[in-house]
Amino acid sequence: MTRNPDIINSIRPLIPVAVTFAAPFLIRLMAKKENRREAVSFVFASIAFLAVVSMAPGILEGKIYTYTLFRILPGITLSFCADGLSMVFALISSFLWILTTSYNIGYMRTLKEHAQTRYYICFGIAVFGAQGVAFAGNIFTLYLFYEIITLFTYPLVAHYQSKDAFEAGKKYLVYLLGTSKLFFLPAMILTYVLCGTLDFQLGDIHKGIFPSDANPVLLIVIYILFLAGLTKTAIMPLHSWLPSAMVAPTPVSGLLHAVAVVKAGAFSVCRIMLSCFGLDSLHDLGLGMPTAYVAGFTIIAAALIALTKDDIKARIAYSTVSHLSYIVMGVAMLTQGGVEGGVSAIAHDAFPKITLFFAAGCIMVVTGSKKISLMNGLGRRMPWTFGAFALATLSFIGLAPASGFLSKFYLITGATDAGQTVLMLVILASVLLNMAYFGPIVIRGFFMPPVKSVDLSQYAEAPKTMVVPMFMIAIISILIGFYPQTFVSFVEVYGKFWR
Amino acid sequence: MNLIEGSFLHPATLFVILGLILPFLRGGIWRVLLFIPPVVAIFLTLQLHLGRYWEVDYVGQVLVLGRVDALSLPFTILFAFMSLICTTFSFHVRDKAQHVAALFFMAGAFGSVLAGDYWTLYIFWQGMTVSSSFLIWLNRRPDASKTGFLYMMILLLSSVLLLAGILLRERVLGNFLFSSADADFMWHFDWLILGAFAINAAVIPLHAWMTQGLPKATIPGAVLLSIFGIKTAVYAMARCFVGLDLLIILGVCTALYGAAYAIFSNNIRRILAYLLVAQVGLMVAGIGMDSKMALDGAIALAYAHTFYMALLLMAMGSVMYATREELLGRLGNLSRKLPFVAALTLIGIFALCAVPFFSGFTGVSLIFEEALKLQSPIPGVFLVLVLALAMTLIILGGLRLPFFLFWSSAETKEPLRPLHRNMVVAMGMAGAFCLVQGIFPEVLNHHLPYPLEEPSLTLFKLAVGFLFPAAGILLFMVLRPLLRPGTNELPDFERVYGLIGRGIMVVFSKPLSWVDAIWSEIYRTVFLRAFYFMARISDFFDRRGIDGAVNQTAASVMFLSRISTRLQSGRLQDQLAWMMLLALAVFALIWFW
């Protein structure tokens, strides 16, 4: 392999990872002093975000930063890289952690939750894992941080320590750890044996790391093993862990299960497909369309199931399953528009999605209930909450200039470029389904009279620490459309798509 | 004050700005601010010059926000005047949310009509979809909420079709220019875009959103719905699909269907909604005829129709406001209590029935004339007969409304609420426009894209024009007993949409959810049991197998040592003898092997 002159050895990718690594320790130290403990989260989240942003100018010029920490075996190192794809995920996970900390404070303190220190520590480590996944420079590092996320979100899922919580936690581990050991690990080993290295192919998404004379059947097997092993992407049929994990506190569902954890899975799929296999070999092996169809099926089936759920978090969970497959479907189209749409959807869908979960959390904190059928008229008492929910819904149905419109624009462009009418129909049908399952929540909240068994006069708007960050994110998701290049520019640099 | 030559301010600008800041204004004076955007819009649109303005770069495309030409200019002027009338009519409403929705809706209409490219059209089209849905929801009744949801879903379908059509079109034609399609050679994306426009124009069978939604909207909201959304769709059809034969057939069918339902409907606003659908059908048929005069006719009808339909909806809204009742069967004999409203309703109905010297006449007569000249797909005479039938039905439905409302002998509940002054003023304005347009057709005609070949009010046309409604009135008098109003409604296509929605739930969602629930437990019932089973086997193997082997080894060693102990006799000669034998055996082994 010739040396790519754009690849620069620099410690920069390590900094956000190191910062988020240090945060949990400090949180532990400050266990008794609550305000200082929360301040640690804020401060370190901000530092991490700034560290990520500082790399942006260089990366937008085309540079790729790499750094190797140490070597374990020949060809297996713990190394980091920062390119366009990393930035998309790292930016949202670090930025949204800042706002989620405020939401966390409001949520945990209002409900007077137990074990708050453990909660914040695990939260911090989960974000550390997300940053590590974003900046992973080879498959081994990716795997390491991927598993760190799984292990340290388990205490968050089982936080309430009730029978249901432990059941859900058990399912969570069985699914995520089981599949990663059964599928991802063998795939990684097979790749190492085939290629002699686990490093990603940086700088060119068309070429991969596999030798050109590799047995195609073996490559297909490795591909399927990778996809099955990355269960965090919640592609059907390996999606059931996500609705069950909704038993966790809502900020966990918001940042982690809508942004950090699941997007880590989707990001890893993008990374494997684009930096490990490469567009050319995926095209030659004919793997693009089958993957896209499986993802398309997930989009529609999950949306249809969401229509039947009365629990608001379950409904949002199934819609998360549905929206995650946008990313996989986009990349699997193997066209410029598809890759742009799929990868930028990691960021574009994160903002409205986390808004929805935060709104559900506000409703839970105020009313103690999650049933949609009892929410009639609640919007009059909680206008900001339901207003944010409405804004997020509008984003998902593609109202310009919201972020959802941008991801639909690129995805449909990609589908038409690939000549795939069915995939385009899938995306359009999902727009209608989005309105069908989120619309009624907004309509019930604002325009229907209250249900007889519910007394609404006891409810008021949720605490400001929760409402302010939620509404800020809702506004961002609408306004991103005015600056569409925010995330798309990174994708264009990554794929070297010059318009 | 003259604007700088070549400069351009989009009429929608002030509507959007006011819509954004209105929620944050306190105090009582904000209602006065509502008049600023319409007045400025009228001023701006009357000064517009033809051309392309406000070209903006966005995501690699060029958006043209201000395309003024012979087709978009009349609609822009129309919307400007109507925005003033609607604002006047809704002045009494104190609910800010309704005003915000109205402002965005009107802005969306301006934006769509002035759009020079499909992206701009799509953005404003979606904006209209969302804001107009709020005009129904803000009525704050449970049935309005459900209807509003149906309304939004269907209009969202139209947006989705438009998006698909736009993107497919770009792949084939390479651009997003909002220009006409070739009626003789329609691509697949043309059909998608046509579908989107047809939904918004309430062409059957996709019209139920209008006939269900308009009666459930707020009183001012219904007026807005009849104007901005539908006429934008008519404009879009006129822009893209002039001369498409299918439109003639669709338009005629819509006219017949809408008029027939209007005759038997019993909700005073739903009657008007069906008449609206019927008249839009006439417009669509006019667009479908491949001639300049027919297009002129369609646009003239659209122009006049906007004013008189708004007038009628305002009148019916006033009746609803005064009597708190909306079913024809429960109202009657109102001419003495609401004389002004009754008179204005008559003006509107006569215009609707295309009576000469009332504004609807120009457009309808042009469409009939051009229909006569057609050869294909339907011979002209046959088409005219069908159109005449549609017109007759429209007249019947149209006459039924004021007759049973104002002059029948049925009784209405006594105390009437007095109407707000702004409502009366707005109705007066609209009525005045209708009269002026009728008596001086030139006022309307000089806005039309193509100059008319003959004047509107020739003697022959007047003769036929008076005969027609006269026959209609006679027919109505004869059929009067059959047309008595009741209080129930005929089922329409909304039942079909409801069936589709329920069908999806039953056929797809519920089974999928059931399978998913079972699959969700499989990890526990199958995998975990398998794990436990394997664990038990390992435990069994560990205890019996391995431990057993260890124990057995120990037992064997002890057995061997017991035997060896017995072999120990303690006598030296025995042990020497054994030693010699053993050594011989070993040597033999080594020697011979």
Side-chain angles (χ1 to χ4, degrees):
Chain A
M1 259 189 304
T2 52
R3 273 247 148 250
N4 191 332
D6 286 329
I7 298 184
I8 300 176
N9 197 358
S10 152
I11 199 173
R12 279 168 165 225
L14 185 58
I15 301 178
V17 181
V19 166
T20 48
F21 180 67
F25 291 107
L26 267 172
I27 294 177
R28 182 68 187 86
L29 279 176
M30 303 279 175
K32 294 286 179 275
K33 308 181 187 109
E34 287 186 337
N35 290 333
R36 288 201 207 165
R37 179 188 66 197
E38 266 70 294
V40 168
S41 289
F42 265 124
V43 167
F44 277 78
S46 312
I47 299 178
F49 176 62
L50 288 171
V52 174
V53 167
S54 73
M55 287 191 272
I59 290 182
L60 284 174
E61 286 169 20
K63 295 194 208 135
I64 299 174
Y65 299 110
T66 60
Y67 186 78
T68 305
L69 202 50
F70 51 78
R71 199 179 81 153
I72 298 176
L73 285 175
I76 303 181
T77 59
L78 192 71
S79 61
F80 301 94
C81 80
D83 62 0
L85 184 60
S86 320
M87 292 298 287
V88 172
F89 186 41
L91 278 172
I92 56 161
S93 52
S94 54
F95 178 71
L96 287 173
W97 188 26
I98 305 175
L99 292 171
T100 310
T101 308
S102 168
Y103 187 85
N104 263 330
I105 296 172
Y107 189 87
M108 302 299 274
R109 293 196 188 179
T110 310
L111 290 179
K112 297 196 185 14
E113 284 287 341
H114 67 288
Q116 288 195 20
T117 305
R118 176 184 79 196
Y119 179 87
Y120 284 108
I121 291 176
C122 289
F123 217 96
I125 301 180
V127 179
F128 160 66
Q131 294 283 303
V133 163
F135 289 119
N138 60 28
I139 305 181
F140 173 73
T141 318
L142 185 72
Y143 180 64
L144 174 68
F145 284 101
Y146 187 88
E147 298 291 71
I148 288 178
I149 297 180
T150 307
L151 290 171
F152 284 94
T153 46
Y154 170 76
L156 294 173
V157 171
H159 176 88
Y160 289 122
Q161 293 173 239
S162 65
K163 187 167 172 302
D164 283 338
F166 281 126
E167 273 298 319
K170 183 161 63 173
K171 188 171 183 178
Y172 189 80
L173 278 183
V174 167
Y175 261 90
L176 292 180
L177 272 186
T179 53
S180 73
K181 297 288 184 276
L182 272 177
F183 303 126
F184 195 101
L185 194 53
M188 188 165 75
I189 295 172
L190 281 170
T191 312
Y192 180 64
V193 166
L194 262 186
C195 311
T197 173
L198 289 174
D199 293 338
F200 292 128
Q201 164 72 269
L202 297 172
D204 186 358
I205 64 170
H206 292 276
K207 292 204 283 283
I209 61 176
F210 292 101
S212 43
D213 58 351
N215 185 348
V217 176
L218 189 58
L219 285 181
I220 294 179
V221 167
I222 296 178
Y223 178 78
I224 296 177
L225 284 175
F226 269 127
L227 277 192
L230 290 169
T231 319
K232 289 204 180 76
T233 322
I235 306 179
M236 284 186 170
L238 296 168
H239 66 287
S240 305
W241 61 273
L242 189 53
S244 305
M246 289 298 125
V247 78
T250 311
V252 175
S253 309
L255 181 65
L256 299 185
H257 296 133
V259 176
V261 170
V262 297
K263 293 283 160 60
F267 169 87
S268 307
V269 169
C270 295
R271 194 45 112 182
I272 297 285
M273 284 176 79
L274 295 174
S275 299
C276 198
F277 280 85
L279 288 180
D280 288 345
S281 77
L282 285 176
H283 187 79
D284 294 335
L285 292 168
L287 289 169
M289 280 308 121
T291 315
Y293 282 124
V294 170
F297 173 75
T298 306
I299 293 177
I300 297 291
L304 285 171
I305 298 177
L307 283 172
T308 64
K309 300 291 175 193
D310 192 32
D311 177 330
I312 189 172
K313 277 178 77 174
R315 193 175 278 203
I316 306 177
Y318 275 98
S319 92
T320 307
V321 173
S322 177
H323 292 146
L324 277 172
S325 288
Y326 280 150
I327 300 169
V328 177
M329 188 170 88
V331 175
M333 285 191 221
L334 304 180
T335 60
Q336 173 179 343
V339 171
E340 276 181 339
V343 174
S344 63
I346 295 178
H348 289 148
D349 281 350
F351 290 96
K353 185 52 58 94
I354 198 175
T355 309
L356 292 174
F357 273 112
F358 282 179
C362 287
I363 295 174
M364 242 214 76
V365 162
V366 170
T367 66
S369 142
K370 287 189 277 189
K371 284 199 172 308
I372 296 175
S373 48
L374 298 175
M375 285 183 194
N376 291 13
L378 192 54
R380 235 77 60 70
R381 309 294 300 173
M382 303 175 67
W384 291 96
T385 305
F386 276 85
F389 199 98
L391 286 177
T393 306
L394 289 177
S395 177
F396 278 125
I397 66 171
L399 182 72
S403 58
F405 164 68
L406 285 179
S407 61
K408 306 282 182 309
F409 170 83
Y410 286 114
L411 282 170
I412 301 180
T413 310
T416 52
D417 281 345
Q420 289 291 329
T421 327
V422 174
L423 295 181
M424 188 187 74
L425 287 176
V426 162
I427 302 171
L428 295 175
S430 82
V431 168
L432 291 172
L433 286 168
N434 278 339
M435 177 63 198
Y437 56 69
F438 283 143
I441 300 178
V442 179
I443 298 175
R444 277 179 190 271
F446 280 124
F447 303 118
M448 297 257 240
V451 175
K452 294 251 182 345
S453 54
V454 173
D455 172 26
L456 283 184
S457 53
Q458 51 182 317
Y459 299 135
E461 185 60 269
K464 283 208 182 55
T465 42
M466 297 170 77
V467 171
V468 168
M470 170 185 69
F471 209 79
M472 277 175 65
I473 300 177
I475 297 287
I476 291 176
S477 72
I478 296 283
L479 291 182
I480 270 193
F482 284 116
Y483 300 100
Q485 292 307 101
T486 317
F487 292 106
V488 179
S489 51
F490 289 109
V491 189
E492 283 178 359
V493 165
Y494 172 62
K496 295 203 169 42
F497 302 135
W498 308 122
R499 283 203 172 274
Chain B
M1 182 182 97
N2 261 335
L3 290 175
I4 308 169
E5 186 64 48
S7 75
F8 172 81
L9 181 62
H10 201 291
T13 324
L14 282 179
F15 287 96
V16 171
I17 295 178
L18 188 59
L20 286 171
I21 66 175
L22 199 60
F24 303 106
L25 293 179
R26 305 248 170 255
I29 63 149
W30 58 268
R31 290 194 299 154
V32 178
L33 294 175
L34 289 172
F35 284 104
I36 301 181
V39 168
V40 172
I42 294 179
F43 177 67
L44 285 173
T45 52
L46 287 177
Q47 292 214 333
L48 276 180
H49 299 285
L50 306 183
R52 292 158 59 102
Y53 306 93
W54 281 28
E55 304 192 9
V56 173
D57 269 320
Y58 186 76
V59 235
Q61 313 293 342
V62 176
L63 302 186
V64 181
L65 289 171
R67 187 260 301 268
V68 185
D69 67 359
L71 188 59
S72 60
L73 188 56
F75 281 94
T76 318
I77 300 178
L78 174 68
F79 287 162
F81 279 104
M82 292 316 296
S83 66
L84 181 61
I85 295 181
C86 290
T87 313
T88 318
F89 187 69
S90 59
F91 184 67
H92 64 280
V93 173
R94 308 242 168 209
D95 180 10
K96 273 196 203 145
Q98 291 188 32
H99 287 289
V100 172
L103 285 166
F104 280 117
F105 189 43
M106 293 191 264
F110 278 111
S112 303
V113 163
L114 286 171
D117 71 297
Y118 270 111
W119 279 121
T120 315
L121 179 70
Y122 173 76
I123 293 173
F124 284 106
W125 198 263
Q126 274 254 359
M128 283 203 293
T129 301
V130 173
S131 47
S132 59
S133 308
F134 276 91
L135 291 174
I136 299 179
W137 286 324
L138 285 168
N139 211 359
R140 297 187 207 268
R141 287 167 13 194
D143 55 337
S145 302
K146 294 205 177 67
T147 309
F149 179 66
L150 174 78
Y151 177 97
M152 176 135 184
M153 285 301 288
I154 298 184
L155 287 188
L156 195 61
L157 176 66
S158 141
S159 292
V160 156
L161 289 175
L162 185 61
L163 185 59
I166 291 176
L167 285 164
L168 284 172
R169 186 173 187 277
E170 196 260 347
R171 205 171 155 248
V172 171
L173 294 181
N175 65 53
F176 289 102
L177 288 178
F178 188 18
S179 58
S180 63
D182 187 352
D184 297 317
F185 185 60
M186 295 267 286
W187 292 84
H188 52 299
F189 52 80
D190 283 325
W191 290 110
L192 287 172
I193 298 179
L194 177 64
F197 293 163
I199 293 179
N200 272 55
V203 169
I204 59 164
L206 301 157
H207 65 286
W209 60 272
M210 168 54 76
T211 52
Q212 289 298 314
L214 195 133
K216 296 270 176 6
T218 58
I219 290 179
V223 183
L224 284 160
L225 283 178
S226 74
I227 303 168
F228 293 99
I230 299 251
K231 298 308 180 305
T232 308
V234 170
Y235 158 78
M237 281 222 199
R239 167 74 61 191
C240 288
F241 297 110
V242 174
L244 186 63
D245 286 340
L246 175 67
L247 287 181
I248 305 180
I249 303 175
L250 269 180
V252 165
C253 293
T254 308
L256 287 169
Y257 188 95
Y261 262 85
I263 296 179
F264 294 108
S265 175
N266 289 313
N267 178 315
I268 55 178
R269 288 200 297 180
R270 183 166 288 127
I271 296 174
L272 290 175
Y274 276 114
L275 287 173
L276 186 149
V277 169
Q279 294 240 307
V280 171
L282 289 178
M283 292 176 221
V284 167
I287 294 174
M289 297 179 208
D290 195 0
S291 92
K292 298 203 180 93
M293 288 297 110
L295 186 63
D296 268 355
I299 296 182
L301 182 59
Y303 230 87
H305 175 270
T306 311
F307 283 100
Y308 62 69
M309 188 54 74
L311 171 63
L312 287 168
L313 278 168
M314 287 195 276
M316 291 304 111
S318 306
V319 168
M320 273 177 63
Y321 184 81
T323 63
R324 278 177 273 258
E325 183 58 67
E326 55 182 8
L327 294 177
L328 196 55
R330 298 205 195 120
L331 293 167
N333 206 12
L334 284 170
S335 56
R336 233 165 295 152
K337 296 182 198 136
L338 298 169
F340 188 60
V341 176
L344 285 173
T345 311
L346 266 188
I347 295 178
I349 290 291
F350 282 157
L352 185 94
C353 299
V355 175
F357 294 118
F358 289 90
S359 54
F361 180 65
T362 316
V364 173
S365 62
L366 270 174
I367 294 177
F368 269 79
E369 275 171 36
E370 292 305 306
L372 198 55
K373 295 182 196 156
L374 264 193
Q375 298 302 326
S376 74
I378 311 174
V381 179
F382 182 66
L383 184 60
V384 170
L385 282 176
V386 177
L387 282 175
L389 175 63
M391 207 54 216
T392 316
L393 292 175
I394 291 177
I395 295 176
L396 280 177
L399 285 174
R400 176 174 174 263
L401 179 65
F403 182 81
F404 285 110
L405 195 55
F406 295 113
W407 286 285
S408 75
S409 50
E411 267 315 310
T412 320
K413 285 202 286 272
E414 252 320 305
L416 293 186
R417 264 198 296 197
L419 297 176
H420 292 276
R421 218 172 307 165
N422 59 296
M423 295 163 79
V424 176
V425 167
M427 285 196 284
M429 283 164 68
F433 269 109
C434 287
L435 278 177
V436 166
Q437 284 169 352
I439 301 176
F440 304 105
E442 282 317 303
V443 169
L444 205 156
N445 293 350
H446 91 268
H447 287 305
L448 294 176
Y450 304 111
L452 289 185
E453 287 159 11
E454 14 171 277
S456 296
L457 299 174
T458 63
L459 215 52
F460 172 71
K461 283 200 228 185
L462 282 176
V464 175
F466 272 119
L467 241 89
F468 214 89
I473 297 178
L474 269 173
L475 197 57
F476 177 74
M477 287 299 163
V478 167
L479 292 176
R480 201 163 24 114
L482 287 174
L483 299 175
R484 284 215 167 275
T487 48
N488 55 344
E489 285 298 315
L490 284 177
D492 195 355
F493 266 88
E494 71 274 359
R495 301 288 170 97
V496 175
Y497 308 157
L499 268 174
I500 295 178
R502 266 192 298 275
I504 292 181
M505 282 294 279
V506 167
V507 173
F508 294 110
S509 281
K510 293 249 163 75
L512 269 175
S513 191
W514 182 77
V515 170
D516 182 64
I518 295 181
W519 173 253
S520 193
E521 290 304 303
I522 287 204
Y523 91 100
R524 194 159 49 89
T525 52
V526 173
F527 292 136
L528 282 185
R529 284 227 188 101
F531 279 143
Y532 287 144
F533 180 66
M534 276 170 46
R536 269 203 301 276
I537 293 185
S538 313
D539 182 48
F540 180 80
F541 180 65
D542 189 44
R543 270 185 291 119
R544 298 292 185 78
I546 296 182
D547 284 354
V550 169
N551 290 345
Q552 208 56 35
T553 320
S556 326
V557 167
M558 280 184 13
F559 176 69
L560 275 174
S561 65
R562 242 181 278 130
I563 295 185
S564 328
T565 325
R566 279 212 215 104
L567 289 175
Q568 298 264 33
S569 61
R571 291 193 293 239
L572 193 58
Q573 58 270 36
D574 285 340
Q575 283 187 329
L576 276 172
W578 276 111
M579 212 173 72
M580 303 266 323
L581 261 172
L582 225 54
L584 265 173
V586 169
F587 277 132
L589 257 166
I590 296 173
W591 200 281
F592 293 114
W593 197 0

